[in-house]
Amino acid sequence: MSGWQGKLLRVDLTAGTCQSEKLNEQWAKDYLGGRGLGSKYFIEEVDPGVDPLSPDNKLIMAAGPLTGTYGAANGRYMVITKSPLTGTIACSNSGGYFPSELRYAGYDMIIFEGKAEYPSYLQIHDDKVRLVGAVHLWGKSSQDTEDAILAEFHGDAKVACIGPAGENQVNFACVINDKHRAAGRSGVGAVMGSKNLKAVAVRGTGGVKIADPIAFREAALESYGLLKQNPVSGEGLPALGTPVLVNVINQFGALPTRNFQKDTFEGAEAISGETLAATYLKRNKGCMSCIIGCGRVTGLKGSRFGGDGEGPEYESIWALGATCGINDLAAITKANYICNEYGMDTITVGATVACAMELAEKGLVSEEEIGMSLKFGDADAMVKLVEMAAKCEGFGAKLALGSYRLAESYGAPELSMTVKKQEFPAYDGRGMQGMALHYATSNRGACHVRGYLVSPEILGLPEKLDPQATDGKATWAKIFQDFTAVVDSSGVCLFTTFGIGAPQFAAFCTAATGLDYNEEVLMNLGDRIYNMERVFNLKAGIDPSQDTLPKRLLEDPIPDGPLKGEVAKLDVMLPVYYQERGWSAEGIPTEEKLQALGLAS
């Protein structure tokens, strides 16, 4: 096989065995890799009704056929499992250098099953694979874990691991690789912790075979040029990283503030990308083969906290900042460092703290129970609660469940800003109707990186759409969701899609594999992946009634800013979306649709 390495590694943690297997070539062709191929294996092997934290759940790390090549930002992988936060299929994306190293060791994916008797980690050095004890690593931060593994295994290895939040099975724990890159959402780190799996360390000395190197080089050069010319990937992200969006979204009037009670934040400038660049930024940083370099290497020297690390990104600044009513960039950055050290999703933990702040201000939870006074804008309390959540300490044990379960436990689930129990990212759907529709229909709950309609609705890429219009948004949502499934399955960073599209991905995939992946084939592949995930969720009990938004977004108009008076018009768009998808009026994929995609049972 070209493009693919042609084999996977199956690790039975219960038995302590590691076995190489030939990759299913037909599945690889039909689902590409990463999100698509990993999810296909997962769905074929796991009962949708499985308890996410039981040994019967599996966890898959899957790269794409472009992972580890020299194309445009081709260094991504996916962590796939059933989510303890949402109950949906979880598929979390990360970059850095670990994904490419896995491919250089000769593997397209690793399937973990069962549960180790005691804390363990996996060592891979090309075809030499073994499970070793990790009792001495249990309790260590993600950074300390990586340092210890490099010292005892191989100094050039790449490491993916969990921190204490994963060990404590925090519902939104993540998997950290290369110390600062995160497969961040849906609690994949909690599943890893439930299996007593502390880390995966990989050293690979091979390469990736390309079917047509000349055509691949031409596709790479074209993509480099397009990305450099694009104002987002060529200017905004390299200069300011994702925090470039803080002022953009705030000025537009859709930056959720104080748990979505407002949509403009008076402290936005103080936590913006511009302010970060002028204060704590040391330099930018890219992942494997990346020409964008959106990562932020930062340090808090001179602040009351101190310390060094990476980030915060835009979503983290919002979750630990605006939605908590906090304009203290040092505190936000410190909380972000804590999340990286403990291995925890910044979006969910920040949004859950914001929910707790509203519960406290409404008198639904007492100061005594929280262990401190709590109100919007209290930066020191936010930092403390983030660490308490990671440790499941005191009130932090309730925060560790996520905002939906927290709010529900106090009789106010409507104060949780979630879809399918996953917290919203930093864009209010009341201000962007396409995003509202995407949030409601996303297969993993509220998520911006499964159909980033912010791009056409705000940034005007690939063309400018009226954010408040509802006509045509069902078509756009489907296109973006399907194309994102392709990108996630290829092993390429989603940020490349600001500058390149389906024609360039078709060229890359065709040149890498030697198969005819034209644009139509790729979009059909994305449709297949999206429907496959939908069917799994339905079998898992996630019915179409959950294709909805919080009451606050549907009924409470934006109270301030340029978009004052707007609500999410989901009732207008959702029936059209179901029709566009080829589903029944109730939101169920029809037998005819599944048959056309090769998904019929």
Side-chain angles (χ1 to χ4, degrees), residues 150-178:
L150 295 182
E152 70 184 37
F153 170 49
H154 196 295
D156 292 325
K158 309 304 177 192
V159 178
C161 66
I162 56 171
E167 298 168 4
N168 294 333
Q169 296 174 37
V170 172
N171 267 352
F172 42 89
C174 57
V175 177
I176 299 285
N177 62 273
D178 302 293

Side-chain angles (χ1 to χ4, degrees), residues 257-462:
T257 300
R258 296 178 180 84
N259 203 33
F260 285 73
Q261 294 184 87
K262 294 180 61 181
D263 260 10
T264 57
F265 182 42
E266 68 280 3
E269 181 60 40
I271 61 174
S272 67
E274 291 82 354
T275 300
L276 181 65
T279 53
Y280 306 124
L281 179 67
K282 293 182 175 181
R283 60 182 174 86
N284 69 335
K285 181 180 178 180
C287 298
M288 170 68 186
S289 79
C290 179
I291 64 170
I292 299 173
C294 70
R296 307 288 95 181
V297 178
T298 54
L300 288 174
K301 184 178 180 180
S303 77
R304 68 186 189 280
F305 296 105
D308 298 281
E310 289 190 25
E313 303 292 337
Y314 168 64
E315 305 295 338
S316 306
I317 287 175
W318 165 79
L320 302 166
T323 201
C324 292
I326 292 169
N327 64 357
D328 184 335
L329 187 56
I332 292 167
T333 303
K334 178 61 177 179
N336 182 82
Y337 290 171
I338 292 170
C339 288
N340 283 348
E341 291 162 5
Y342 282 87
M344 196 162 57
D345 175 21
T346 57
I347 297 176
T348 286
V349 73
T352 301
V353 170
C355 178
M357 288 174 167
E358 186 170 359
L359 286 167
E361 290 199 350
K362 284 180 162 48
L364 296 174
V365 58
S366 68
E367 181 177 326
E368 182 180 23
E369 184 171 1
I370 299 170
M372 65 188 80
S373 63
L374 185 62
K375 61 183 179 180
F376 285 111
D378 190 334
D380 289 336
M382 179 274 293
V383 173
K384 178 62 176 175
L385 287 173
V386 166
E387 189 164 6
M388 287 172 62
K391 294 178 177 179
C392 293
E393 177 183 280
F395 186 68
K398 286 195 170 184
L399 296 174
L401 299 174
S403 69
Y404 183 86
R405 293 171 178 84
L406 173 70
E408 186 181 45
S409 72
Y410 292 101
E414 70 278 3
L415 299 187
S416 167
M417 297 298 107
T418 53
V419 172
K420 302 177 177 75
K421 298 184 178 69
Q422 178 157 278
E423 285 71 15
F424 277 87
Y427 314 90
D428 193 330
R430 289 176 291 188
M432 311 172 207
Q433 298 302 323
M435 281 303 292
L437 176 61
H438 164 64
Y439 285 147
T441 57
S442 169
N443 283 332
R444 71 165 182 172
C447 174
H448 58 300
V449 291
R450 289 302 176 86
Y452 193 66
L453 284 159
V454 174
S455 189
E457 290 189 307
I458 305 300
L459 304 177
L461 298 170

Side-chain angles (χ1 to χ4, degrees), residues 437 470 472 474-475 571-581:
L437 176 61
T470 56
T475 300
D571 59 332
V572 176
M573 298 180 288
L574 189 60
V576 183
Y577 174 85
Y578 286 164
Q579 186 176 26
E580 188 76 22
R581 277 266 173 220

